[in-house]
Amino acid sequence: MRRVAAPLLLLLSLFSHDAAAFLSPPIRLGGSGNGIAAGHGSLAPRRGSRAQWLQHRGGVSSAKMESNAQMELNTAAWKEWGTGPLSHIEPVFRPPAEHDSFILQATNGCSWNRCTFCEMYKADDKKFKVKNLDLVEEELKLLGEMSENNNQEWPLRVFLADGDALALPFGRLRAILLLIKKYLPGVRRVSSYCLPRNLNSKSVAQLTELKGLGLHTLYVGCESGDDEVLRLVAKGETFQSSLTALNKIHEAGLRSSIMILHGLGGEQLSAQHAENSARLVNAAGPALLSTLVVSFPLGDARFRETFPEFTPLSEPDGLLAEMEAFMAKLDVKRTVFRSDHNSNLLALAGSLPKDKEKLLAQIREVRGSGDGLRPKWMRRSL
């Protein structure tokens, strides 16, 4: 098991809006927030030792830090979750927007883990399991003590890992949020990845209660709004199941962030993938929308087991054509759009509907000139 004592991983994505702040070479450990191939998440780069990070962040004395760090490190329970409190079972991923969040690994791996485009949680170490609530409390208590001892209110944001912490039952999520409030009262928002199926057993009233306890944003990897594409990639969802979950999120007053994967339907299904994905986004009206590009750094053999006729979109023409078709069909009232993940051929950013024509013009200009495309060496799926 790859266990790294990296307590407050400042998870900073390469080539996103904050890329300039991260100058170390990329770390390729495998896996991603909905897959290496999907590339939803950004790999958590190592930021030096636990002592270096905490001293940089809050000036904790070495003696105090070492004393706290030894808290129950040798218990059998902790041996399955890293080197002790505030460590992680790697790799760990998060959305680019969560680059300054404390990563609380409430679960390990993904509860579904069957999507053929995703290699994120395939290592033996990343099999799905739930962290004992006592261990979660121990971590939060330790972090709270470090904050209190230095008169600091950090972190301000918490991201619940791994791939779909919303798979936890309502009672466990409620308990975790209450512990965050108890030990980290300065936290302003808590976010998580979420699969549509995670919400099947949760009512709007329960989600509303979780919102009242600090839950803020759910990152939903819809991938596509086309049922045929979703079936061929073993997503285990449909247009309607995704929309039902997104509607629940919105009814509860939570913020949703939808992720769509360009190229997932290949040449054969590109048109319907673009059209039905836009139809899903239009029906859901998310606060945030991001697009990524499917890729297969570990090979596409597993993907072709369920989609044997898959023909990748040509680059740049095929991908840009799908991007344009998708953008042209969008009709939302108030959505922030980003394609700044480092898998993208073209980085775009804007607010919809205000910037729709500007974004379409950018795509068309690049299609005509070929200028402004991200070079292949920069287009990493992690």
Side-chain angles (χ1 to χ4, degrees):
M1 179 184 298
R2 182 184 288 116
R3 299 183 176 96
V4 177
L8 305 176
L9 294 174
L10 280 178
L11 306 182
L12 192 58
S13 74
L14 297 172
F15 311 118
S16 69
H17 61 279
D18 48 20
F22 184 68
L23 302 179
S24 301
I27 306 168
R28 301 184 63 81
L29 298 180
S32 151
N34 262 339
I36 287 182
H40 284 187
S42 297
L43 182 62
R46 296 190 180 101
R47 277 266 180 158
S49 71
R50 171 195 186 106
Q52 289 172 334
W53 196 97
L54 290 172
Q55 287 172 340
H56 166 73
R57 219 26 204 194
V60 183
S61 70
S62 296
K64 179 65 177 177
M65 208 160 31
E66 291 304 317
S67 174
N68 285 333
Q70 292 302 315
M71 183 172 54
E72 301 182 23
L73 291 186
N74 296 321
T75 63
W78 272 120
K79 289 181 180 179
E80 294 187 10
W81 287 95
T83 57
L86 304 180
S87 64
H88 301 85
I89 301 174
E90 288 202 349
V92 177
F93 298 85
R94 52 86 186 134
E98 301 296 326
H99 67 277
D100 203 23
S101 297
F102 168 57
I103 307 303
L104 178 62
Q105 198 168 33
T107 63
N108 181 61
C110 171
S111 67
W112 176 248
N113 205 25
R114 302 177 196 175
C115 302
T116 58
F117 55 83
C118 173
E119 302 294 341
M120 176 177 183
Y121 299 117
K122 296 304 179 185
D124 289 342
D125 291 352
K126 299 304 294 184
K127 289 180 179 178
F128 184 77
K129 61 182 177 180
V130 177
K131 183 179 286 184
N132 186 289
L133 190 61
D134 291 340
L135 302 186
V136 172
E137 181 170 13
E138 188 174 330
E139 290 186 297
L140 293 171
K141 182 179 179 180
L142 176 58
L143 186 60
E145 288 174 352
M146 292 174 175
S147 175
E148 183 178 343
N149 291 340
N150 291 273
N151 196 29
Q152 301 249 354
E153 284 195 355
W154 49 266
L156 299 179
R157 293 162 58 156
V158 171
F159 182 77
L160 300 180
D162 259 346
D164 62 329
L166 263 288
L168 292 171
F170 165 74
R172 174 58 65 87
L173 289 167
R174 183 178 184 276
I176 291 173
L177 292 172
L178 285 170
L179 289 173
I180 292 173
K181 278 189 167 293
K182 178 180 178 179
Y183 295 111
L184 300 173
V187 167
R188 297 175 183 171
R189 55 177 275 185
V190 180
S191 303
S192 175
Y193 285 127
C194 175
L195 298 179
R197 66 173 47 81
N198 294 159
L199 303 187
N200 288 343
S201 62
K202 297 175 180 68
S203 68
V204 172
Q206 289 175 327
L207 292 175
T208 301
E209 184 174 348
L210 296 179
K211 177 182 182 293
L213 295 174
L215 190 62
H216 183 274
T217 300
L218 298 181
Y219 296 89
V220 185
C222 294
E223 331 303 357
S224 177
D226 185 77
D227 286 349
E228 186 175 4
V229 171
L230 292 169
R231 177 182 61 80
L232 287 169
V233 302
K235 178 65 182 178
E237 302 287 355
T238 63
F239 176 99
Q240 190 56 53
S241 70
S242 295
L243 182 58
T244 298
L246 291 164
N247 285 341
K248 269 189 180 181
I249 292 170
H250 301 155
E251 288 176 38
L254 292 163
R255 192 170 73 155
S256 69
S257 178
I258 292 180
M259 293 169 281
I260 297 295
L261 273 177
H262 281 312
L264 191 61
E267 289 185 359
Q268 300 92 325
L269 304 179
S270 178
Q272 65 193 64
H273 171 52
E275 179 175 354
N276 290 320
S277 296
R279 188 166 62 92
L280 175 62
V281 172
N282 294 342
L288 305 167
L289 168 65
S290 62
T291 58
L292 304 89
V293 174
V294 69
S295 59
F296 306 99
L298 300 185
D300 63 359
R302 194 167 67 89
F303 184 81
R304 290 184 179 279
E305 288 177 6
T306 58
F307 197 167
E309 303 304 317
F310 176 78
T311 302
L313 290 178
S314 62
E315 295 189 19
D317 294 342
L319 273 175
L320 290 174
E322 183 171 290
M323 288 175 63
E324 181 178 350
F326 173 72
M327 180 63 65
K329 294 284 186 179
L330 289 178
D331 183 15
V332 290
K333 293 181 179 179
R334 190 176 180 182
T335 297
V336 174
F337 173 77
R338 295 286 186 271
S339 68
D340 57 354
H341 185 273
N342 51 5
S343 65
N344 283 289
L345 193 67
L346 177 63
L348 298 171
S351 296
L352 300 171
K354 179 172 67 73
D355 297 324
K356 178 177 175 178
E357 293 307 317
K358 182 186 76 172
L359 294 170
L360 280 170
Q362 287 181 260
I363 297 171
R364 289 163 182 161
E365 181 180 356
V366 171
R367 287 190 70 183
S369 67
D371 296 332
L373 295 175
R374 191 173 270 163
K376 281 192 175 182
W377 68 267
M378 290 180 66
R379 294 181 58 210
R380 302 177 183 273
S381 56
L382 295 181

